[in-house]
Every structure is written in structure tokens, then in C-alpha cells.
Amino acid sequence: LYPRLQLMKRLLAEDGSIYVHCDWHVNSYIRLLLDEIFGKENFRNEIVWCYTGPRKTPKAFSRKHDIIFLYSKDQNYKFNQLTIPHRSGLHDTGQVETFGRKREQPVSEEQIKELEERGKVLEDWWVDIWATERYRNELLGYDTQKPVALLERIIKASSNEGDLVADFFPG
């Protein structure tokens, strides 16, 4: 993996970034490799991709998340902030929390709809994309396959139309 990651860094555009997906077996090792190759200062995010489904693990909590490390080649990298739909943020007190400011007065249905349409800035905890086995029409039969929605999100976040994007470990 080390020589592959070194090659990937050389191939990246100066404003490029890399997303590396791993599970609990190797995520700590891969993070150390990425820190060494890309530099700790170029670490951008640890994305937790959560999914659910049946699994029986009698002596541990079911492992239902993977990690996606995001590193850039340099300090000047592309990043397009994305939004996702979300619920209004209406609390049981009738207050709405918006960007750290509480509104003390009740919020109208129109204001709630406006908040929902505006969406929510995407965080590093992704629970809205299911694992590939839930998208049966996408299944191609290899273990590391990613759902199209996950790939689309990553591509939209770190590239613009016309940019070259590579999947070094097809999946």
C-alpha cells in the first residue's frame, strides 16, 4: 500500500485530494501511512460512513461503519461545500436552532419549510447513504464496491466539471 499511496500523491493535481476508504481492521495503520506520505498538515477529514442492517455479533457491538480519510496534496485544494436535506431543527421547546443562534419566538411553518429547503451543510458523519448491498441493482459482485451515491458525493465535494477523477482501487 505504501508505494501505491506514494504514486497516487505524485499523480494528484496540485489542488487534488484523495479519499481512502477502510474499515476497522486497518484504519489506524492507513492513517499513519497517509500522515507520512501526504503530511499531517494535509489531513482534512475523517468521514464516518454509517449504515445499518442485520448482523449478529454476540461478543461485540455490530460494526456498522467505515472510515473514509480525506487528504489533500497541498494546502490549496478544491473543496465544494455540499448540503443535504434535513429536518428543520425544531426542538421540543418550539425553538429552532440555526447557526448557533436560538430564536426565542415560535417559528412559522413557512420558516421551517425555508430551513428544510435550504438544507444542511454536510458533516463528517454520513448516515444517509446505505451500504451497496441495499442497492441490489448496483451490485457487480466485488467486495469493495461502493454505492453510486457515495462516489457521487465524494466527486462533487472535491472536483469540478471537467476535472480528472481516478479510482485507484476500483470500487
Side-chain angles (χ1 to χ4, degrees), residues 51-54 129-139:
Y51 40 84
T52 189
I129 298 175
W130 297 93
T132 306
E133 63 263 8
R134 299 297 280 270
Y135 302 105
R136 299 205 184 276
N137 62 327
E138 293 182 15
L139 288 175

Side-chain angles (χ1 to χ4, degrees), residues 4-160:
R4 279 187 177 191
L5 289 170
Q6 286 178 313
L7 176 61
M8 289 176 218
K9 182 180 181 189
R10 286 195 302 272
L11 292 173
L12 278 177
E14 292 307 312
D15 62 352
S17 55
I18 186 169
Y19 289 75
V20 180
H21 170 237
C22 49
D23 68 10
W24 65 277
H25 293 96
V26 295
N27 63 5
S28 56
Y29 302 111
I30 290 176
R31 172 80 185 262
L32 291 172
L33 291 176
L34 291 165
D35 278 350
E36 183 175 327
I37 294 167
F38 286 86
K40 291 179 186 178
E41 69 280 3
N42 291 317
F43 168 75
R44 300 291 162 230
N45 275 110
E46 177 181 275
I47 300 159
V48 181
W49 174 35
C50 303
Y51 40 84
T52 189
R55 176 152 303 155
K56 194 174 187 178
T57 52
K59 294 194 176 202
F61 295 106
S62 290
R63 295 175 183 97
K64 301 308 264 180
H65 78 276
D66 288 346
I67 298 297
I68 303 170
F69 293 118
L70 169 57
Y71 280 77
S72 63
K73 185 171 186 174
D74 200 330
Q75 295 294 308
N76 300 316
Y77 59 97
K78 276 184 197 160
F79 185 77
N80 303 310
Q81 192 172 66
L82 304 177
T83 59
I84 57 171
H86 75 98
R87 299 186 53 88
S88 66
L90 186 62
H91 298 280
D92 60 356
T93 62
Q95 296 173 337
V96 172
E97 185 81 33
T98 56
F99 304 108
R101 299 183 308 250
K102 281 187 181 176
R103 295 183 184 185
E104 298 300 329
Q105 54 205 11
V107 178
S108 70
E109 291 294 320
E110 186 177 296
Q111 289 170 313
I112 290 172
K113 186 173 176 152
E114 179 188 323
L115 286 170
E116 289 172 348
E117 286 174 3
R118 183 174 24 181
K120 168 184 170 174
V121 173
L122 187 61
E123 300 164 331
D124 64 356
W125 187 264
W126 298 356
V127 296
D128 60 329
I129 298 175
W130 297 93
T132 306
E133 63 263 8
R134 299 297 280 270
Y135 302 105
R136 299 205 184 276
N137 62 327
E138 293 182 15
L139 288 175
L140 297 175
Y142 57 97
D143 293 341
T144 61
Q145 183 180 345
K146 314 293 182 286
V148 170
L150 181 67
L151 298 174
E152 285 177 345
R153 179 173 290 171
I154 288 169
I155 290 168
K156 285 178 183 176
S158 292
S159 65
N160 297 326

